[in-house]
Amino acid sequence: MKILNDLLALTGVSGDEANTAKFINDYVEKRKNSWKVLPKIYSGEKFHDCILLKFGNPDIAVFAHIDTIGFMSRYYNQLIPVGGPEVIPGTKIIGEDSLGEIRCQVQGDEEGIYHDFPRGVDTGTYFSFEQNVRIDEDFIQAAYLDNRIGVYNALKQCETIENGWIVFSTYEEHGGGSMPFLLRFIQETAPITKALVSDITWITDGVKHHEGVVISIRDRLIPRRSFLNRVLDLAKESEIPFQLEVEESGGSDGREIQFSPYAIDWCFIGAAEGNVHSPDEKVSLSDIDSMISLYNYLLANL
Amino acid sequence: MKILNDLLALTGVSGDEANTAKFINDYVEKRKNSWKVLPKIYSGEKFHDCILLKFGNPDIAVFAHIDTIGFMSRYYNQLIPVGGPEVIPGTKIIGEDSLGEIRCQVQGDEEGIYHDFPRGVDTGTYFSFEQNVRIDEDFIQAAYLDNRIGVYNALKQCETIENGWIVFSTYEEHGGGSMPFLLRFIQETAPITKALVSDITWITDGVKHHEGVVISIRDRLIPRRSFLNRVLDLAKESEIPFQLEVEESGGSDGREIQFSPYAIDWCFIGAAEGNVHSPDEKVSLSDIDSMISLYNYLLANL
Amino acid sequence: MKILNDLLALTGVSGDEANTAKFINDYVEKRKNSWKVLPKIYSGEKFHDCILLKFGNPDIAVFAHIDTIGFMSRYYNQLIPVGGPEVIPGTKIIGEDSLGEIRCQVQGDEEGIYHDFPRGVDTGTYFSFEQNVRIDEDFIQAAYLDNRIGVYNALKQCETIENGWIVFSTYEEHGGGSMPFLLRFIQETAPITKALVSDITWITDGVKHHEGVVISIRDRLIPRRSFLNRVLDLAKESEIPFQLEVEESGGSDGREIQFSPYAIDWCFIGAAEGNVHSPDEKVSLSDIDSMISLYNYLLANL
């Protein structure tokens, strides 16, 4: 899990993913020759801060978003959210502006958020939760497990995938915006009919730690049932632990697949976390294992 | 109206339209040789559960969504809505899970919806209103007139249309998602500049039963006025009864035409119903006649 | 500023932009031979009420929306908003229906808006604020500075631009809908990687009159930071007065660029106004000068 630790050390709030993209690009370059299939890599300015890896002859893609939630400084000492961060007074946040590095605390509540840095901060400065990774026998706890674990899973799949796209998207936490051009590029390059969204979901009254990776029957949107049934049949066949989710709200990169001008089936599959969008996101290690195993099985068999 | 009765007997909540699609496909196969023009049929896995019929050389399309509202089981005995069903305690609903058929009642309110089936129900099971079709001299009353009547109208137009697409879409009740790929397919196959949305609207303080099919000047979205004026001129010329609608909210497949990457004019034209999204939807028979007649006139003259 | 005065005399609520489009088209035809580069003009029914001007070999586009907010008559004496107009009882509005010209007042509040015209008005009649242009040494005050100033700026850029698209869009005030087809047409004709949104923003506690054109770091959506940094570097280099905006809400044609199926960077740049969406919108004349100068600089150097 060294790579997961490295990913957790990066900041990269929605709109500012360049450094995270560079890290993933470097990692891919270093590792790609050890993978079962050598991918064709699409990245760079033409793809903004996204990265696409094409393995073999794809009919499926895995999407993992590389951005995180955070804050942005407004005027005076005001902050406004990027994505939907939990606003917990006293939370330590970090940023950098023209005068140097910044470490301070969040104050206020969702009606009005402030930072307590003693000097003025440049308007438009991004802030991230200060990272604090804690691992014990059962759990990993840190900021930004959503979606560093989804990215970690996607990178693990690179080792064994034979046919498929592994795609790193941006902006997911703040309404999206990269998926439409990624999907167009995919459909014009090596089209797919199926997609899996490698992302993190929520512990709820029906989804619990240690009970396996979550296959989402729906969040705010509803994947096509006939596709979902095929996923569920394979999941049962695999004997990998999994649990089902049915939620009324929430969304993912699946949203932009649903509304894309292509008939692509999609399904959200990912481990569940507690303390969502806080610096203390918490995920079961065995659920991460199930996630990686199930993607492995589905990419070979779906 | 046998075909309308058959359509009303089907269940097919958004995301689970496979059976309804199969029924329409079978109907088209059986009837197509009796139609004025033999259509080219596009359906099957590549089109998910949508069906496109191309007649002659189209410049116009009619869209009718085949999905319905309903409920889905969450955890324990919880239900969550699919689309926006009325939640009326005691309403009879039907579904089917791995243990067999289910018939029970809706309980609770929009803050928390439950079913009262005595055993546990599989997570993610779809529920529909139990059907009860009532026809008298003036009205039809049933669940799912929205949009079985729109589908019925579309199938009636198949009998006489010479040039145009007749298209059966999915997911309309739950935010959409099939229109973008249908529109792309149409524009790449035999492009259109005009579209009519064959769907059901609402009785309001300005829209009344028996006063004719409704031409919608706007709902949440606003069609282009210069196109609307052409539709209204033809409607007047036709001498078919129609009434005008101006609403601030509500939407249809027109939404995804408006936001599509093609310059396609659109207009919503359909009969109005009372008791919207309940098991007791009620539509005037003469308004259905006006709807069919006006589509007939517009498809020949617009 | 004669052309700005002429633009302010036009009505053209979202969905009803045909007259405004005709005015701009005529202006372009009259002036184009005096411009540094002769543009290729795309307009007419195929482009609905939008106009695209292609100068040289574009890699950038300027978008200015030509529609305005307003009202539409519903039933009886009800009005519903088009876009988000301020509802101030007593505000004078004008319209025209089958019986002739209408001049009356807005009554009520956002819960229920009415007009006080003595006779009944055709359902679906558009209303605009009555225009009253006031110019002094420092300010212009009028209805619809948003976005007649953005259009004025775009027309001024036509005089000197060598390579780029100048594009007049519709429907921006009411949720959009023309940008997707405009972007597709641009990308298939002479593709771009950069876009500037020529529109008007708001005076806030961090944005003030006379302090220069506003470069928006974010509204509800967030442009890519690496592109924004290039814009800011050039703005500093230009020595033209500008100020920064960071807002949590609000949107522009930039939204549809963000969600388009193309990797196009975008940034909102425009003067700020007080009394937003009222008949008394107020903009600093020097901020308009800064806006025109900065666009000029960026179109030559970005």
Side-chain angles (χ1 to χ4, degrees):
Chain A
M1 287 178 38
K2 167 154 191 328
I3 174 66
L4 177 54
N5 269 289
D6 291 345
L7 286 165
L8 288 168
L10 300 169
T11 60
V13 179
S14 306
D16 196 33
E17 298 97 338
N19 285 337
T20 307
K22 188 180 175 318
F23 175 88
I24 294 172
N25 242 321
D26 291 349
Y27 177 87
V28 167
E29 284 300 331
K30 249 180 283 175
R31 296 303 187 88
K32 67 182 182 187
N33 289 307
S34 70
W35 295 342
K36 194 166 182 177
V37 170
L38 188 70
K40 188 153 169 43
I41 301 166
Y42 302 91
S43 66
E45 193 61 14
K46 195 181 150 192
F47 299 92
H48 285 184
D49 300 314
C50 301
I51 301 161
L52 302 101
L53 307 177
K54 181 166 79 71
F55 295 84
N57 297 306
D59 183 45
I60 191 167
V62 172
F63 293 92
H65 73 83
I66 68 171
D67 60 310
T68 71
I69 54 165
F71 298 92
M72 191 185 280
S73 60
R74 193 172 176 251
Y75 316 118
Y76 316 110
N77 62 342
Q78 300 165 8
L79 294 176
I80 55 176
V82 180
E86 280 294 302
V87 179
I88 304 164
T91 299
K92 289 193 182 67
I93 53 174
I94 57 170
E96 186 173 353
D97 73 359
S98 63
L99 294 176
E101 295 191 356
I102 302 164
R103 183 174 181 270
C104 58
Q105 293 186 6
V106 171
Q107 299 298 346
D109 55 33
E110 272 155 38
E111 299 305 296
I113 321 175
Y114 305 92
H115 67 76
D116 66 359
F117 201 57
R119 69 163 167 85
V121 164
D122 288 350
T123 291
T125 301
Y126 274 113
F127 285 90
S128 302
F129 291 135
E130 187 173 67
Q131 189 53 281
N132 176 17
V133 182
R134 290 142 283 173
I135 304 180
D136 64 19
E137 277 180 29
D138 296 323
F139 287 102
I140 182 167
Q141 193 161 11
Y144 302 130
L145 295 180
D146 170 4
N147 187 33
R148 299 311 189 194
I149 290 175
V151 172
Y152 170 62
N153 173 53
L155 289 172
K156 291 296 286 182
Q157 301 308 320
C158 291
E159 299 171 7
T160 52
I161 188 171
E162 294 184 38
N163 296 297
W165 290 92
I166 303 287
V167 184
F168 300 93
S169 68
T170 56
Y171 274 112
E172 190 275 343
E173 294 289 4
H174 199 77
S178 69
M179 288 294 289
F181 76 75
L182 293 170
L183 288 167
R184 194 181 59 85
F185 181 78
I186 287 168
Q187 294 310 83
E188 292 181 357
T189 305
I192 58 170
T193 63
K194 303 182 277 278
L196 302 178
V197 178
S198 175
D199 198 349
I200 294 301
T201 187
W202 308 335
I203 296 294
T204 63
D205 50 348
V207 170
K208 298 181 194 331
H209 288 302
H210 306 317
E211 300 203 350
V213 60
V214 174
I215 300 175
S216 182
I217 293 182
R218 63 169 285 184
D219 47 29
R220 190 164 63 82
L221 295 179
I222 307 177
R224 198 161 63 110
R225 179 51 66 106
S226 47
F227 176 67
L228 201 64
N229 286 344
R230 285 170 55 205
V231 171
L232 294 175
D233 287 347
L234 286 169
K236 281 170 209 155
E237 183 185 291
S238 77
E239 300 188 353
I240 296 159
F242 73 92
Q243 47 190 324
L244 296 176
E245 169 181 88
V246 173
E247 291 296 327
E248 195 170 345
S249 61
S252 73
D253 277 339
R255 196 184 67 84
E256 290 176 285
I257 304 173
Q258 173 81 5
F259 294 125
S260 81
Y262 309 101
I264 300 170
D265 280 308
W266 61 277
C267 183
F268 180 111
I269 303 178
E273 70 178 16
N275 307 323
V276 174
H277 285 190
S278 82
D280 301 309
E281 294 181 349
K282 185 177 180 177
V283 175
S284 151
L285 297 176
S286 69
D287 291 345
I288 300 176
D289 288 345
S290 302
M291 182 176 180
I292 294 169
S293 301
L294 186 59
Y295 270 85
N296 205 273
Y297 192 84
L298 291 173
L299 288 176
N301 294 290
L302 189 62
Chain B
M1 286 177 42
K2 167 147 191 335
I3 175 66
L4 178 54
N5 270 289
D6 291 345
L7 286 166
L8 288 168
L10 299 169
T11 60
V13 179
S14 306
D16 194 33
E17 297 97 338
N19 286 336
T20 306
K22 190 182 175 316
F23 174 88
I24 295 173
N25 242 320
D26 291 349
Y27 177 87
V28 168
E29 284 301 329
K30 251 180 283 176
R31 297 301 187 91
K32 67 182 180 188
N33 289 307
S34 69
W35 295 342
K36 193 164 182 179
V37 170
L38 187 72
K40 188 154 168 43
I41 302 166
Y42 302 91
S43 66
E45 192 60 15
K46 195 183 152 192
F47 299 92
H48 285 180
D49 299 315
C50 301
I51 301 162
L52 302 101
L53 306 177
K54 181 166 79 71
F55 294 83
N57 298 307
D59 183 44
I60 192 168
V62 172
F63 293 91
H65 73 83
I66 68 170
D67 60 309
T68 71
I69 54 166
F71 298 93
M72 191 184 280
S73 61
R74 193 173 175 249
Y75 316 117
Y76 316 110
N77 62 342
Q78 301 165 8
L79 294 176
I80 56 177
V82 180
E86 280 295 300
V87 179
I88 305 164
T91 299
K92 288 193 184 66
I93 53 174
I94 56 169
E96 185 174 354
D97 72 358
S98 61
L99 295 175
E101 293 190 357
I102 302 164
R103 183 172 181 272
C104 57
Q105 294 187 6
V106 170
Q107 301 297 347
D109 54 33
E110 271 155 39
E111 298 305 296
I113 321 175
Y114 306 93
H115 67 77
D116 65 358
F117 201 56
R119 71 163 166 85
V121 163
D122 289 351
T123 291
T125 301
Y126 274 111
F127 285 90
S128 301
F129 291 135
E130 188 174 67
Q131 188 54 280
N132 176 17
V133 182
R134 291 144 283 172
I135 304 182
D136 64 19
E137 276 179 31
D138 296 324
F139 287 103
I140 181 169
Q141 194 160 10
Y144 302 130
L145 295 180
D146 171 6
N147 187 30
R148 299 311 190 193
I149 290 175
V151 172
Y152 170 62
N153 173 52
L155 289 171
K156 291 296 284 180
Q157 301 307 320
C158 290
E159 300 172 6
T160 51
I161 188 171
E162 295 184 39
N163 296 296
W165 290 91
I166 303 287
V167 184
F168 300 94
S169 68
T170 56
Y171 274 112
E172 190 274 344
E173 294 289 4
H174 200 78
S178 70
M179 287 295 287
F181 75 77
L182 293 170
L183 289 167
R184 194 180 58 83
F185 181 78
I186 288 168
Q187 294 309 82
E188 293 181 358
T189 304
I192 59 171
T193 63
K194 304 184 274 282
L196 302 178
V197 178
S198 176
D199 198 351
I200 294 302
T201 187
W202 308 335
I203 296 293
T204 62
D205 50 348
V207 171
K208 299 182 195 327
H209 289 302
H210 307 316
E211 300 203 352
V213 60
V214 174
I215 299 175
S216 182
I217 294 183
R218 62 168 287 182
D219 48 29
R220 189 164 63 81
L221 295 178
I222 306 176
R224 200 161 62 111
R225 179 52 65 108
S226 47
F227 176 68
L228 201 63
N229 286 344
R230 286 171 55 205
V231 172
L232 294 175
D233 287 347
L234 286 169
K236 280 170 211 156
E237 182 185 291
S238 76
E239 299 188 355
I240 297 157
F242 72 93
Q243 46 190 324
L244 297 176
E245 169 181 271
V246 173
E247 291 297 326
E248 195 170 345
S249 61
S252 73
D253 278 339
R255 197 184 66 82
E256 291 176 284
I257 304 172
Q258 173 82 4
F259 294 125
S260 81
Y262 309 100
I264 301 171
D265 279 308
W266 61 277
C267 182
F268 179 111
I269 302 178
E273 70 178 15
N275 308 323
V276 175
H277 284 190
S278 82
D280 301 310
E281 292 180 350
K282 185 177 180 178
V283 175
S284 151
L285 297 176
S286 69
D287 292 345
I288 299 176
D289 288 344
S290 303
M291 183 176 179
I292 293 169
S293 302
L294 187 58
Y295 270 85
N296 205 273
Y297 192 84
L298 291 174
L299 288 176
N301 294 289
L302 190 62
Chain C
M1 283 176 45
K2 161 143 195 338
I3 175 66
L4 177 55
N5 270 288
D6 291 345
L7 287 166
L8 288 168
L10 300 170
T11 60
V13 179
S14 307
D16 194 33
E17 298 97 338
N19 285 336
T20 308
K22 189 181 174 317
F23 175 88
I24 294 172
N25 242 321
D26 290 348
Y27 178 87
V28 167
E29 285 300 330
K30 251 180 285 176
R31 297 301 186 92
K32 67 183 182 187
N33 290 306
S34 69
W35 296 341
K36 193 165 184 180
V37 170
L38 187 71
K40 189 155 167 43
I41 301 166
Y42 302 91
S43 66
E45 193 60 16
K46 195 183 151 192
F47 299 91
H48 284 182
D49 299 314
C50 301
I51 301 161
L52 302 100
L53 307 177
K54 181 167 77 72
F55 295 84
N57 298 305
D59 183 45
I60 191 168
V62 173
F63 293 91
H65 73 84
I66 68 171
D67 61 309
T68 72
I69 54 165
F71 298 92
M72 190 184 280
S73 61
R74 193 173 176 252
Y75 316 118
Y76 315 111
N77 62 342
Q78 301 165 8
L79 295 175
I80 55 177
V82 179
E86 281 294 301
V87 179
I88 304 164
T91 299
K92 291 195 183 63
I93 52 175
I94 55 168
E96 184 172 356
D97 72 359
S98 61
L99 294 174
E101 294 192 357
I102 302 164
R103 183 173 180 269
C104 57
Q105 293 187 7
V106 170
Q107 300 297 346
D109 55 32
E110 273 155 39
E111 298 304 298
I113 322 175
Y114 306 93
H115 66 77
D116 66 359
F117 201 56
R119 71 163 164 85
V121 164
D122 289 351
T123 291
T125 301
Y126 275 111
F127 285 91
S128 302
F129 292 134
E130 188 174 66
Q131 189 54 280
N132 175 15
V133 182
R134 291 143 282 173
I135 303 180
D136 66 19
E137 276 181 30
D138 296 324
F139 287 103
I140 181 169
Q141 193 160 10
Y144 303 128
L145 296 180
D146 171 4
N147 186 34
R148 299 310 189 193
I149 291 175
V151 172
Y152 170 63
N153 173 53
L155 289 172
K156 291 296 284 182
Q157 301 307 320
C158 291
E159 300 171 6
T160 51
I161 188 172
E162 295 185 38
N163 297 295
W165 290 91
I166 303 286
V167 185
F168 300 93
S169 67
T170 56
Y171 274 112
E172 191 273 344
E173 294 289 3
H174 200 77
S178 69
M179 288 295 288
F181 77 75
L182 293 170
L183 289 167
R184 193 181 59 83
F185 181 78
I186 288 169
Q187 294 309 84
E188 292 181 357
T189 305
I192 58 170
T193 63
K194 304 183 276 281
L196 302 179
V197 178
S198 175
D199 199 349
I200 295 301
T201 186
W202 308 335
I203 296 293
T204 62
D205 51 347
V207 170
K208 298 182 195 329
H209 288 302
H210 307 315
E211 300 204 352
V213 59
V214 174
I215 299 176
S216 181
I217 294 182
R218 64 168 287 184
D219 49 29
R220 190 163 64 81
L221 294 178
I222 307 176
R224 198 161 62 112
R225 179 51 66 108
S226 47
F227 176 67
L228 200 63
N229 286 344
R230 285 171 54 205
V231 172
L232 294 176
D233 287 347
L234 286 169
K236 281 171 210 155
E237 185 184 289
S238 76
E239 299 188 354
I240 296 158
F242 73 93
Q243 46 190 327
L244 296 176
E245 168 181 271
V246 173
E247 290 298 325
E248 196 171 344
S249 61
S252 72
D253 278 340
R255 195 184 67 82
E256 291 177 285
I257 304 172
Q258 173 81 5
F259 294 125
S260 81
Y262 309 101
I264 301 171
D265 280 308
W266 60 277
C267 183
F268 179 111
I269 302 179
E273 70 177 15
N275 307 324
V276 175
H277 285 190
S278 83
D280 301 309
E281 293 180 351
K282 184 177 181 177
V283 175
S284 150
L285 297 176
S286 69
D287 291 345
I288 299 175
D289 288 344
S290 303
M291 182 176 179
I292 294 169
S293 302
L294 186 59
Y295 270 85
N296 205 273
Y297 192 84
L298 290 174
L299 287 176
N301 294 290
L302 189 60

